[in-house]
Amino acid sequence: MKPENIRRFKSDFERYVNDLKVIKMDVTPLEAWVIMCQLQLALRHPRNIGPTAVIAREIAKEIQEKVAITPALQEIAEKGWKREFDMMNGFRQERTCIICACTDKFPCVEGCYWVLDNLCSRCVRKYNITVRQGKIEMRKRRYVN
């Protein structure tokens, strides 16, 4: 980045963050869960420390309080903070749906099949997901039961 662009960014950013307006967003429980998981993943990085990590952790913990409303959800949400449960560390050795966590051994109650290696057909239908050329596209909030 050019020095003048950096100066403009700093100036704009300082004005923006000093504006004490609260940003509100409507998110579904699924979207909140995904945001929490992504923050947990980023915060597990050993070099992700400092003031922005503190803010991100506070936000992720607040989201966790709102979405982990049953003992089972609480247990999984807590594991998200611990590196030993990362998929690459053997926590999930079998194929697992990234949304509902069903597996070949424990499929969805209603039945499902694999659309991608990590996405089941029930979640594709329920969350209105399109898969094109092996990539996931979510259409905004038209979920079905």
Side-chain angles (χ1 to χ4, degrees), residues 10-91:
K10 285 182 177 180
S11 173
D12 290 351
F13 190 73
E14 284 177 14
R15 276 196 313 275
Y16 179 71
V17 297
N18 288 327
D19 183 356
L20 299 177
K21 287 190 277 186
V22 174
I23 297 173
K24 294 185 179 188
M25 297 174 60
D26 293 326
V27 296
T28 66
L30 170 66
E31 292 164 337
W33 186 272
V34 169
I35 293 166
M36 176 194 69
C37 292
Q38 291 297 314
L39 287 169
Q40 288 174 324
L41 177 63
L43 290 164
R44 286 195 312 265
H45 190 284
R47 292 189 181 165
N48 191 355
I49 56 175
T52 58
V54 171
I55 293 168
R57 186 174 306 281
E58 289 173 2
I59 292 168
K61 286 289 192 179
E62 185 176 341
I63 294 170
Q64 182 178 342
E65 288 175 16
K66 294 183 184 328
V67 298
I69 57 174
T70 69
L73 293 173
Q74 291 165 0
E75 179 183 349
I76 295 299
E78 275 305 310
K79 286 180 178 179
W81 296 106
K82 299 172 183 159
R83 196 170 298 153
E84 64 264 24
F85 293 106
D86 284 355
M87 288 170 53
M88 67 184 144
N89 290 337
F91 177 59

Side-chain angles (χ1 to χ4, degrees), residues 89-100:
N89 290 337
F91 177 59
R92 292 190 176 154
Q93 295 180 357
E94 65 180 310
R95 184 163 43 175
T96 304
C97 179
I98 56 173
I99 296 176
C100 71

Side-chain angles (χ1 to χ4, degrees), residues 1 8-9 37 43 69 72 99 108 117-119 125 129:
M1 245 180 145
R8 279 198 314 241
F9 167 79
C37 292
L43 290 164
I69 57 174
I99 296 176
C108 295
D117 282 342
N118 61 354
L119 182 65
R125 183 183 53 78
I129 297 170

